[in-house]
Amino acid sequence: MGGIDWDAVQRWDAQYYLHVLSSNREYEFVPIERVEGDYLEFPDGSRALDMLNQLICVPAGQCQPVIQRAIVDALERYGHVAEYYNTDYRARAAKLLVEDILGDREWPGKVRFVSTGTEAIELAFIAAKLWKNKPYVLTREFAYHGWTMGAAGATKLPGYVAQLSGTEDDHSARFVQSHPPGGFFLAPNVDCFDCSLGHTYPACKETGPELPCVRRTRRVIEGVNPQMIAAMVTEPICGSASIGPPPPEYFPQIRRLTREMDIAWVCDEVMMGFAKTGNWFCHQAWGDEVEPDILVMGKGLSNSALPAAGIIVSKEIAEFFDEQRWINVSTFGGHPVVMAAVCATLQYLIENDAPARFREKGAYFGEGLRRLEREHPTIGAVNSMGMVFTIELVKDRQTKERFVAMNRTALHAGDVAQYPTEIILQKTLERGVVITGFSPNTLRISASMNISEEDMDMALDALDYGLAELDRLAAQAEA
Amino acid sequence: MGGIDWDAVQRWDAQYYLHVLSSNREYEFVPIERVEGDYLEFPDGSRALDMLNQLICVPAGQCQPVIQRAIVDALERYGHVAEYYNTDYRARAAKLLVEDILGDREWPGKVRFVSTGTEAIELAFIAAKLWKNKPYVLTREFAYHGWTMGAAGATKLPGYVAQLSGTEDDHSARFVQSHPPGGFFLAPNVDCFDCSLGHTYPACKETGPELPCVRRTRRVIEGVNPQMIAAMVTEPICGSASIGPPPPEYFPQIRRLTREMDIAWVCDEVMMGFAKTGNWFCHQAWGDEVEPDILVMGKGLSNSALPAAGIIVSKEIAEFFDEQRWINVSTFGGHPVVMAAVCATLQYLIENDAPARFREKGAYFGEGLRRLEREHPTIGAVNSMGMVFTIELVKDRQTKERFVAMNRTALHAGDVAQYPTEIILQKTLERGVVITGFSPNTLRISASMNISEEDMDMALDALDYGLAELDRLAAQAEA
Amino acid sequence: MGGIDWDAVQRWDAQYYLHVLSSNREYEFVPIERVEGDYLEFPDGSRALDMLNQLICVPAGQCQPVIQRAIVDALERYGHVAEYYNTDYRARAAKLLVEDILGDREWPGKVRFVSTGTEAIELAFIAAKLWKNKPYVLTREFAYHGWTMGAAGATKLPGYVAQLSGTEDDHSARFVQSHPPGGFFLAPNVDCFDCSLGHTYPACKETGPELPCVRRTRRVIEGVNPQMIAAMVTEPICGSASIGPPPPEYFPQIRRLTREMDIAWVCDEVMMGFAKTGNWFCHQAWGDEVEPDILVMGKGLSNSALPAAGIIVSKEIAEFFDEQRWINVSTFGGHPVVMAAVCATLQYLIENDAPARFREKGAYFGEGLRRLEREHPTIGAVNSMGMVFTIELVKDRQTKERFVAMNRTALHAGDVAQYPTEIILQKTLERGVVITGFSPNTLRISASMNISEEDMDMALDALDYGLAELDRLAAQAEA
Amino acid sequence: MGGIDWDAVQRWDAQYYLHVLSSNREYEFVPIERVEGDYLEFPDGSRALDMLNQLICVPAGQCQPVIQRAIVDALERYGHVAEYYNTDYRARAAKLLVEDILGDREWPGKVRFVSTGTEAIELAFIAAKLWKNKPYVLTREFAYHGWTMGAAGATKLPGYVAQLSGTEDDHSARFVQSHPPGGFFLAPNVDCFDCSLGHTYPACKETGPELPCVRRTRRVIEGVNPQMIAAMVTEPICGSASIGPPPPEYFPQIRRLTREMDIAWVCDEVMMGFAKTGNWFCHQAWGDEVEPDILVMGKGLSNSALPAAGIIVSKEIAEFFDEQRWINVSTFGGHPVVMAAVCATLQYLIENDAPARFREKGAYFGEGLRRLEREHPTIGAVNSMGMVFTIELVKDRQTKERFVAMNRTALHAGDVAQYPTEIILQKTLERGVVITGFSPNTLRISASMNISEEDMDMALDALDYGLAELDRLAAQAEA
């Protein structure tokens, strides 16, 4: 579409669009003319390899032809049909999830679709509260579950709560009043690189029958009152907080704890679901015992080709809801054209054994990262599962001193150009690669299941180049 | 698409999909194979004229070719691009709104897109709270603004708050605990058919300089504390509550009041926006003084072809946000393929002068309804603006006695088959027309801008037939 | 006690005590050396007749000898005994209330004592929520029910919510964040002098079977959701808001409404209880049908001789609580020495037929006020019940224009010396009488049951003198 | 007072008083006819030595003559005087606190009095929120700060939150809905006998510069958002939770943390204040650095002779409040007769060097407890500071296995007669001594500053006797 007048676009965008993440003074126009596979293409024809996979949300690669085609087909028959009518696409999407993807599991009951991850989290909380008839939700520090009010209640990354953050010398922020609401309580997260309970894994296992972080969670539940907690929500691997995978004992113990306390376990697979960690859903890494009451899906569900999200509830919950009328309609829930994208995505992922593919790509890329780890002292740790990576950046590997003091609790105020993730981004962009992260000192890397070894090598080279700069800055600081 | 195995679809749907509005026992499979214009087509080839316009959300008619084609085009170039990148579609969509549709107005500043109406309401509240730096929101009785927690706080239709309602003899409901949250306060609505303040319009104008419902709103604000109210949210015409248009004095006075009290006025045009009331936005009916601080859009924005919603903030707010970094990302906000649907919808509506078209269709259909009103004693009132109609159903026009005692506050529990709206639906369906409503005694009718006079006549005939049944029941009850 | 070094007292008070209602700059030292009957005595021996009865809280007059003596007696036997032990005083106090004062009523079940009115309101809400197992409380505009967080939730006088109000030119206020909490909703008050619904009594009775203010309350309940409202709390006559008595239809209708909606009616008699309105409890004025589920007491309960308050719950509630363990202890609840003061107060009031005495005094004083009303155009209305009076001050009796625009919603910020209530206070003090009010334009007057006709005449003279000044200011303003 | 008809008292009490802690079926009448020193006297003339000091609230002993006499004196001059007048007693009480008791400290600014501890906590939160202009409060697991809604928000003992607990076989509880409100977050407590973080003191000091429990608190603050937390509230030693004193590093680190995070530190000395821990205020044990922004007082402040409580705010806060009008009145705040009791109590404590006296008594009693610890295997630990003791009861000292699984989180539902604290109570009562606790497995012991060595010996003997029974039960269970 050579006909695009990008100057006009830039003018309109600057004048009429409310931008996020940067003030107007700072705002940079980054036009994307097309996307394909793992690449972004700019109007001048140049391209960038997207190693953030947008927001870890395009598992089948951009513009995957079979998905695009399926949408085109659906457009022949469907405009919009509201949630109280039935379409073949919606029924098939539910069937693909419960029967084809999770068919070897006992727990899954029924599916309901909405449009976005934050909506799906809201829906999960509503379902859990109705089921348990209890009022509160337990979440964890550093959790990100969305931005609408209920999801925001469960979000505990103070730097990602819809605030206005200051620019330049202004390190303050204006937070949204009465948002989040009450009724959300905070358990510790599990971050073995920087344990907030002062333990070291695996030595911490000697302290008792439960990991200290699980025991602490138990105590928070007891302190808040288990009879008032409807649900505990967790990301299987923290997405926006970019924390490495928890130790293998964590989720089995959390799951036992929630069962014991009669608390619904809501597993937020919005970012980690759909194969990229090497299992269909990330929580499956921890065995059969670790099965959610409510699984929350988004992003990868439709390959982000169109806005789709949803929940899968357990058989027990499904039977409970079947008894009554649930008076809750979402205009775009189960939109037939969107459902066509979901069906095509799921079929593509199934037919191409996406979990195996992501395990294989992840193994290759992980090896490269391990090599960089040996070479760059500013790598504090490389964590991974499947094709999802985090790299902890440190000034000093021994002391684990950070470049920027606040990491996951940074407010993104003041001069963010000095964030290591920003420095790496600038450097990797010089080599045509997007590598960055959501916290100042932690890189978050992923890609589609189809990324080539050549592209991974290119990404590793670019990262090597960026880390060299960081090593230089660290050495300079020390001198 | 004869190839669809509808038996399998029905099986999957029953087994794997979590249905709303009816219990499993009550659930009926209503498959829609395709849609076009104002018609739903069933697998057996039969069709129904949809006089609810799905949820009053398909202004350009289903499967409008230019819109479908625009989506197909976009799929060539775009999968997903996150909100911090820029695309031509998003910029153009913003430009179409601010420049082409609202270009004759001074107030509009900038646009931001999300995926659904409930998200757009949440976004509007966040924006208003940040702007005013105050914590509370004022809403109105019978308001419907969405179902996610923040939007649910503003929703005051007790029968549409995501509850589980009983079936058969069970008239109870289980409500969602701690949902809505605090911080939302309740002003009266304006319903001149059934004034909750005990007044009659226009006599009520004699009571003072403000309408009693506005004066009462003033007092609620004073009682709650104007210095803690960030926003007042209103639908210009109540959508789900299906209330007729307010008298002409109402919104000018409300707007003056909110300005005087330093409260942001959030105008929720999700259902009423995009021409169907005869103006681009419904609030424009009440003159230049009635301009929102934040306008909320959804449904019609994309002709519901894909999930799209958004807000337009005033110039003053836009300038305020431009100064800081707004740390708030929605994965699917401004999705390029969705934006293509928005651009095509807006262009289609503009090119075909949708407001004029809706005024014209509404005039024709309204005439027919007025005729039915004369013939059917169970019509208590016909209210309309453009092509948006409500019909109040009564047992007796003089006493205004209802068939079902609770109307807008009904919980949809127990035996709903006796709701007049259900009775009308069953009867009109016999004639191939969908006419019903969201409250037991109030019909809600609309259609696309392209509906033919023949189809409107058919709808009127079907309604005539349904009302005859209702007249019969009313006469029987009296006897 | 001539030995008091009042200079030292003033120094200590200025240096070490955190004063309310005035900034340090404005603060005036008003030492009271002793009190007796209706009089305050200053260190210089001068006296003032207290026509505010402190806070309408000393029905038997200050230092009533039989009460003081009873306390002295109790001090012989009791220091402190916690709530899970039993003392004769506490049992007798409960018996005096239920058997001797309310013995002709069916409803009263059991009593529980705490120390202050705000605590008693909190206790009533806890009891109502446990009983109904519902989460919300309905309150009314202009309500004052206390200042602790739960009571503050029910308080809707924006100028009495623990805020910091500006001085001099600063008309702003800093409100307490997250205080009040959510879960409190707002019904209209009933103020026939300034109806917030735009009606005039008794014409408003023609609008339907319920008064418009009751009908509006019904609609608020329906809009909020009756199944989530545990209690409606009302003052029988608004105390701090100083509104005149409601019309006779109001409370019978409210009571029927709360019963119909399964909502506990909490009647806050903290200020109006204990005879001063001419009945033992104010709500008794409206007939047998108007009986609370929970009656809240304070102030007059102990003649304010010591801090005492409590609740009386209905037989039905008492039986409900009897079935379980209520795990809720107040250290000073039922304090034996305080209970001695309560017993003596109640016995004194009973033996001297306090209701009759207050009716008699009120008749005399009311006659005088009616006389002043005829003479002073700035009296807009005189409202009374028993010995409780409010006088509405206006610039103009016809237009009801106020001296200060905001009345009950005034924030007490800026230059309050121009409040008519302040002007009257300064003038009446010149004549040795304290007459003032809690809102800028409304006087609140009361006295003990023992006030003499001479003292009432003196108060009337002083008020006459003050009103003359106000008349002058009103005339001046007009000129 | 032989004239008391205790049969009538029992009848009235049973019929008219709403009892706490036991259902009507379980309720036992325990009449106290008089109290003196550390003794309770029953109507039959028998006595019991009260080693719970009521609720740790009578430091000078019951019916201390100088205090009772001071109250009698005050009754000559004062009935009630509201908070906006000034009396000598109130000024002197403030002066005694700031000048005479805390005169060697820099921090104390001004005092404000209310009637109860729960009110004082509410006042402290209001003051802290106004000062910091932030909305949230951080509290700790197992905290008890009162029962009114704001104080209840900070209370995190699920078994003491005003719930209705089941009896006999019913282990459930009905909690108060929407109570507590939102806006309260939970930090860990510090309990080295049963560390909820899985550490052992002092080894835990090796994990980093801060104790793990402080580090975890830091992380909770960061996770919640320091810019929204107005105050952190702590008991210096947990009162109702009956936890032993924290290690010496804890409070200095907490204080540094709150300063660094710009969070007001509210120190709740309601139970621990006024010398019984061996310092005037308990927090003084941890050095000069540990000084509160707001100190909360109750119980001991007036020797519980009358209901008194209050706050002392720092100079900085006092100066802040001095600039504005604080519109917040408590009817009984600074009640002159109550203030007389406070003055007399403080003077008595000062003149008799209460801190030294408590240290001395505590040393003697502690020695006796240490002896019992050696003899009774069911003593898991004896913790103390001054004359405040907790004894952890265990089935087995090595494994620390409890008799009742839930300890501080027990709901007091079901058959509580098997709680070790109940068993000890029954046994010690046989010997004329009250020894028990607030949690199933933890004894809480204290006494007045005047307790004799003979009485302490008697208490130790009774406890010895009770523990023997417990030892027997533990041995039996094991066999």
Side-chain angles (χ1 to χ4, degrees), chain B residues 139-145 156-157 186-192 194-197 212-214 216-217 232 234-239 241 243-244 246 250-251 408, chain C residues 216 219:
Chain B
T139 182
R140 300 185 304 169
E141 63 176 334
F142 304 144
Y144 185 86
H145 296 291
K156 294 294 170 198
L157 275 177
L186 188 73
N189 212 308
V190 52
D191 175 7
C192 297
D194 178 21
C195 178
S196 76
L197 309 178
C213 44
V214 175
R216 178 71 209 138
T217 301
M232 178 176 186
T234 60
E235 299 160 274
I237 292 179
C238 282
I243 301 176
Y250 179 76
F251 274 112
R408 296 186 171 89
Chain C
R216 179 71 209 137
R219 292 284 288 258

Side-chain angles (χ1 to χ4, degrees), chain A residues 16 26 99 116 119 325 331, chain B residues 16 26 99 116 119 325:
Chain A
Y16 300 131
E26 300 166 317
E99 208 171 272
T116 65
E119 283 193 337
R325 297 179 192 133
T331 299
Chain B
Y16 300 130
E26 301 165 318
E99 209 170 273
T116 66
E119 283 192 337
R325 296 180 193 135

Side-chain angles (χ1 to χ4, degrees), chain A residues 92-130:
Chain A
R92 179 176 293 124
K95 179 260 186 185
L96 283 163
L97 286 164
V98 180
E99 208 171 272
D100 299 328
I101 289 180
L102 290 169
D104 57 336
R105 300 282 173 142
E106 260 308 299
W107 74 269
K110 289 185 166 184
V111 178
R112 191 172 165 212
F113 293 112
V114 285
S115 302
T116 65
T118 197
E119 283 193 337
I121 283 287
E122 298 263 355
L123 198 66
F125 292 167
I126 288 172
K129 288 176 174 185
L130 283 171

Side-chain angles (χ1 to χ4, degrees), chain A residues 188-405:
Chain A
N189 213 308
V190 51
D191 176 6
C192 297
F193 182 74
D194 178 20
C195 177
S196 77
L197 310 178
H199 286 284
T200 308
Y201 184 84
C204 67
K205 293 197 282 186
E206 304 306 311
T207 64
E210 285 177 333
L211 294 179
C213 45
V214 175
R215 176 183 160 80
R216 179 70 209 141
T217 300
R218 172 183 292 277
R219 292 284 289 262
V220 170
I221 292 171
E222 289 176 358
V224 166
N225 189 346
Q227 298 194 32
M228 299 183 87
I229 300 179
M232 178 176 186
V233 61
T234 60
E235 298 159 274
I237 292 179
C238 281
S240 299
S242 307
I243 301 176
E249 297 84 358
Y250 180 76
F251 274 112
Q253 290 178 9
I254 285 287
R255 194 60 190 109
R256 252 171 270 144
L257 176 63
T258 50
R259 285 210 176 87
E260 180 190 333
M261 297 286 191
D262 190 29
I263 292 172
W265 181 44
V266 176
C267 185
D268 178 348
E269 297 259 8
V270 170
M271 198 181 270
M272 292 302 145
F274 297 103
K276 58 184 81 85
T277 64
N279 284 290
W280 275 106
F281 291 104
C282 182
H283 71 268
Q284 295 175 315
W286 299 294
D288 285 3
E289 202 189 346
V290 180
E291 297 190 323
D293 292 305
I294 304 177
L295 189 158
V296 181
M297 311 170 288
K299 301 189 198 278
L301 171 64
S302 61
N303 200 39
S304 298
L306 291 176
I311 60 173
I312 306 176
V313 302
S314 71
K315 283 202 175 64
E316 187 183 348
I317 298 178
E319 280 157 22
F320 170 78
F321 274 84
D322 280 351
E323 289 303 303
Q324 305 258 310
R325 297 179 192 133
W326 192 10
I327 311 293
N328 174 233
V329 173
S330 164
T331 299
F332 295 138
H335 191 290
V337 180
V338 172
M339 290 296 105
V342 170
C343 289
T345 298
L346 298 179
Q347 270 168 325
Y348 180 85
L349 295 178
I350 292 168
E351 285 164 12
N352 294 279
D353 195 355
R357 193 84 73 86
F358 272 117
R359 280 196 300 273
E360 174 199 326
K361 305 286 179 174
Y364 182 88
F365 192 72
E367 203 173 309
L369 285 183
R370 240 68 73 184
R371 204 174 57 235
L372 294 184
E373 189 178 16
R374 284 191 297 275
E375 290 162 14
H376 293 283
T378 50
I379 290 191
V382 172
N383 295 300
S384 67
M385 187 176 275
M387 189 61 203
V388 174
F389 295 87
T390 61
I391 299 176
E392 300 291 356
L393 301 172
V394 291
K395 267 189 179 161
D396 179 313
R397 198 177 284 176
Q398 251 48 52
T399 63
K400 293 184 175 177
E401 195 198 342
R402 297 294 201 174
F403 286 86
V404 173

Side-chain angles (χ1 to χ4, degrees), chain A residues 7-75:
Chain A
D7 287 342
V9 170
Q10 176 162 13
R11 208 169 53 241
W12 297 337
D13 201 69
Q15 194 167 348
Y16 300 131
Y17 204 70
L18 200 56
H19 297 103
V20 294
L21 300 183
S22 58
S23 71
N24 220 36
R25 246 184 341 278
E26 300 166 317
Y27 162 66
E28 281 180 78
F29 184 63
V30 184
I32 308 292
E33 180 158 329
R34 73 170 58 238
V35 293
E36 194 174 6
D38 286 279
Y39 277 90
L40 312 172
E41 191 178 314
F42 306 105
D44 65 2
S46 67
R47 307 201 312 162
L49 177 65
D50 177 17
M51 294 303 288
L52 193 58
N53 197 238
Q54 287 306 305
L55 291 159
I56 325 281
C57 63
V58 195
Q62 296 275 16
C63 286
Q64 178 48 247
V66 299
I67 301 173
Q68 306 302 82
R69 213 174 308 129
I71 300 171
V72 173
D73 287 348
L75 288 163

Side-chain angles (χ1 to χ4, degrees), chain A residues 1 4 9 12-18 20-21 23-27 29-35 40 54-55 57 62-63 68 71-72 75-82 84-86 88 90-92 94-95 98-99 110-113 115-116 118-119 122 129-131 133-135 147-150 159-160 162-166 174 176-178 181 299 304-308 320-328 331-332 335 338 412-414 416, chain B residues 1 4 9 12-18 20-21 23-27 29-35 40 54-55 57 62-63 68 71-72 75-82 84-86 88 90-92 94-95 98-99 110-113 115-116 118-119 122 129-131 133-135 147-150 159-160 162-166 174 176-178 181 299 304-308 320-328 331-332 335 338 412-414 416:
Chain A
M1 190 168 170
I4 301 169
V9 170
W12 297 337
D13 201 69
Q15 194 167 348
Y16 300 131
Y17 204 70
L18 200 56
V20 294
L21 300 183
S23 71
N24 220 36
R25 246 184 341 278
E26 300 166 317
Y27 162 66
F29 184 63
V30 184
I32 308 292
E33 180 158 329
R34 73 170 58 238
V35 293
L40 312 172
Q54 287 306 305
L55 291 159
C57 63
Q62 296 275 16
C63 286
Q68 306 302 82
I71 300 171
V72 173
L75 288 163
E76 300 267 306
R77 293 199 285 135
Y78 286 120
H80 178 56
V81 175
Y84 40 84
Y85 292 112
N86 312 83
D88 52 315
R90 190 183 72 185
R92 179 176 293 124
K95 179 260 186 185
V98 180
E99 208 171 272
K110 289 185 166 184
V111 178
R112 191 172 165 212
F113 293 112
S115 302
T116 65
T118 197
E119 283 193 337
E122 298 263 355
K129 288 176 174 185
L130 283 171
W131 181 41
N133 208 19
K134 302 202 276 187
W147 60 273
T148 52
M149 198 187 257
Y160 285 105
Q163 84 280 11
L164 288 177
S165 291
R174 177 182 283 196
V176 186
Q177 293 203 30
S178 278
K299 301 189 198 278
S304 298
L306 291 176
F320 170 78
F321 274 84
D322 280 351
E323 289 303 303
Q324 305 258 310
R325 297 179 192 133
W326 192 10
I327 311 293
N328 174 233
T331 299
F332 295 138
H335 191 290
V338 172
H412 312 289
V416 296
Chain B
M1 189 166 170
I4 300 169
V9 169
W12 297 336
D13 201 70
Q15 195 166 348
Y16 300 130
Y17 203 71
L18 199 58
V20 294
L21 300 183
S23 71
N24 219 36
R25 248 184 340 279
E26 301 165 318
Y27 162 66
F29 184 64
V30 185
I32 307 293
E33 181 157 326
R34 72 170 58 240
V35 292
L40 311 172
Q54 288 305 305
L55 291 160
C57 63
Q62 296 275 16
C63 287
Q68 306 301 85
I71 300 172
V72 173
L75 288 164
E76 300 267 305
R77 292 200 284 134
Y78 286 119
H80 178 55
V81 176
Y84 40 85
Y85 292 111
N86 311 82
D88 51 316
R90 190 182 73 185
R92 179 177 292 123
K95 179 260 185 185
V98 181
E99 209 170 273
K110 289 185 165 184
V111 178
R112 190 170 166 212
F113 293 112
S115 302
T116 66
T118 197
E119 283 192 337
E122 298 262 355
K129 288 176 174 185
L130 283 171
W131 180 42
N133 207 20
K134 302 200 277 184
W147 61 273
T148 52
M149 197 186 258
Y160 285 105
Q163 84 280 10
L164 288 177
S165 291
R174 177 182 284 196
V176 186
Q177 292 202 29
S178 278
K299 301 190 198 280
S304 296
L306 291 177
F320 169 77
F321 275 84
D322 280 349
E323 289 302 304
Q324 305 257 312
R325 296 180 193 135
W326 192 10
I327 311 292
N328 174 233
T331 299
F332 295 138
H335 191 290
V338 172
H412 312 288
V416 295

Side-chain angles (χ1 to χ4, degrees), chain D residues 257-303:
Chain D
L257 176 63
T258 50
R259 286 211 174 88
E260 180 189 334
M261 297 286 193
D262 190 30
I263 293 172
W265 181 45
V266 175
C267 184
D268 178 348
E269 295 261 5
V270 170
M271 197 181 271
M272 292 302 145
F274 298 104
K276 57 184 81 86
T277 63
N279 284 290
W280 276 107
F281 292 103
C282 181
H283 71 268
Q284 295 174 315
W286 298 295
D288 284 3
E289 201 188 348
V290 180
E291 297 190 323
D293 292 305
I294 304 179
L295 189 158
V296 181
M297 312 171 287
K299 301 190 198 279
L301 172 66
S302 62
N303 199 39

Side-chain angles (χ1 to χ4, degrees), chain C residues 16 26 86 99 116 119 325, chain D residues 16 26 99 116 119 325:
Chain C
Y16 300 129
E26 300 166 317
N86 311 82
E99 210 170 89
T116 64
E119 282 192 338
R325 296 178 192 135
Chain D
Y16 299 130
E26 300 166 318
E99 209 170 272
T116 65
E119 283 192 337
R325 297 178 192 134

